[in-house]
Amino acid sequence: MRIATWNVNSLRARRERVIEWIAESEVDVLCLQETKMTDEAYQALDLGQFGFESAHYGFGQWNGVAILSKVGLTDVQVNFASGVEPDHESRIITATCGGIRVSSVYVPNGRALDHDHYQYKLGWLDRLVAHLEVDTSPDAPVIVAGDINIAPEDRDVYDIDALAGSTHVSAAERARIANIERWGMTDLFRHHHREESGIYSWWDYRNGDFHKGRGMRIDLIWGTRPVVEASRWCIIDRNARKGTQPSDHAPVVAEIAL
DNA sequence: ATGGTAGCATCGCTA
């Protein structure tokens, strides 16, 4: 099974690019973030015509997440699992696809270290762990894929000194990553690329950052042990960031022999 | 040089 995550920065604006990419990438499961659509507008896209079952959770304008699957899609959960304080925004959707419990997540940006949104981000990541504890087990095949809005290590950003005092690299954010990985998650890209640095999944639209190689690796596919053991490779498709009207994020793709 | 671009419910916010 091939699974990918992609923050598309408006599925309406990215419709043609996403449809093209679905065909060439041969993904079986696709987690989308920032669809910026209502559920009604999403249904009108009729992505079923490309062979996918899918589930979407969005209110329009901002956020919005989806899971598309060619290997089944059951037990859909929008928002956090019951028992966890619900989120007021559409940032997580979960479904079982091909025997794997898959969540598509769009972690809050945080905006600035002294902003309320940063506290919302940290709390959201705490609730994500609570969600996993309620919804599933680290011994089961589980994937959390999405725009995490945190670079796990200094080598995952183009210039750590330039980012001093910024979100996405703070100790408190990275402590949340550690919590998720302590629960049982492994970053599949890092698992397969132990020594590499300078590989990114997001580049600011401004200032020619993509062409200057100024990006961050903030989109992850996390898997539990059964997923890691079955995983064959994981790549970031930076070609999808090229050309006309790209998203500012590239897809992350993993091959799982399950 | 504190800029720049893209998307949205567009003149202000979010990323």
Side-chain angles (χ1 to χ4, degrees):
Chain A
M1 157 172 149
R2 187 168 299 176
I3 180 165
T5 179
W6 195 6
N7 178 325
V8 293
N9 185 20
S10 171
L11 186 52
R12 184 176 296 101
R14 221 64 61 208
R15 182 178 168 280
E16 292 304 322
R17 300 251 342 197
V18 170
I19 289 168
E20 242 173 64
W21 190 83
I22 280 171
E24 69 183 38
S25 63
E26 302 182 311
V27 288
D28 301 300
V29 176
L30 177 58
C31 297
L32 298 177
Q33 301 85 38
E34 279 208 273
T35 63
K36 298 185 176 179
M37 276 188 168
T38 61
D39 293 340
E40 291 71 25
Y42 178 84
Q43 290 308 321
L45 288 177
D46 187 25
L47 295 177
Q49 66 187 295
F50 304 106
F52 290 97
E53 294 178 80
S54 68
H56 178 270
Y57 179 43
F59 308 128
Q61 188 177 16
W62 289 316
N63 315 309
V65 287
I67 302 177
L68 289 70
S69 174
K70 288 181 173 174
V71 292
L73 187 136
T74 59
D75 300 298
V76 175
Q77 166 83 53
V78 300
N79 212 319
F80 294 118
S82 84
V84 181
E85 185 195 342
D87 190 19
H88 64 290
E89 298 183 334
S90 48
R91 295 180 175 275
I92 177 168
I93 187 167
T94 301
T96 302
C97 305
I100 303 180
R101 194 69 179 147
V102 178
S103 292
S104 175
V105 302
Y106 177 42
V107 175
N109 174 284
R111 299 183 193 165
L113 298 186
D114 60 356
H115 199 290
D116 286 347
H117 205 258
Y118 179 72
Q119 296 306 320
Y120 169 54
K121 180 180 196 172
L122 298 179
W124 200 95
L125 289 158
D126 292 337
R127 283 189 282 168
L128 178 57
V129 176
H131 165 84
L132 290 169
E133 282 171 351
V134 170
D135 186 67
T136 187
S137 145
D139 300 320
V142 183
I143 284 176
V144 171
D147 178 357
I148 307 307
N149 265 319
I150 305 167
E153 299 176 73
D154 289 356
R155 61 177 164 154
D156 295 314
V157 303
Y158 68 95
D159 183 352
I160 191 63
D161 296 327
L163 292 165
S166 302
T167 59
H168 294 62
V169 297
S170 73
E173 287 164 281
R174 286 176 173 171
R176 267 56 182 195
I177 286 186
N179 289 343
I180 290 161
E181 297 188 346
R182 191 175 307 115
W183 179 82
M185 287 301 194
T186 296
D187 172 350
L188 290 188
F189 180 86
R190 186 52 73 201
H191 176 75
H192 289 286
H193 305 276
R194 310 270 178 135
E195 307 302 326
E196 292 186 50
S197 60
I199 308 295
Y200 309 128
S201 65
W202 170 86
W203 300 260
D204 199 305
Y205 283 121
R206 296 171 287 187
N207 211 29
D209 276 6
F210 178 65
H211 300 286
K212 292 175 184 169
R214 297 158 57 94
M216 298 194 218
R217 192 172 71 87
I218 57 175
D219 299 86
L220 305 187
I221 300 175
W222 269 312
T224 51
R225 179 192 285 268
V227 171
V228 174
E229 287 175 351
S231 84
R232 296 295 169 256
W233 49 260
C234 181
I235 58 103
I236 299 175
D237 182 9
R238 70 186 293 284
N239 285 330
R241 180 63 174 77
K242 300 177 182 173
T244 55
Q245 291 187 291
S247 169
D248 46 354
H249 294 254
V252 185
V253 191
E255 183 81 5
I256 315 290
L258 279 176

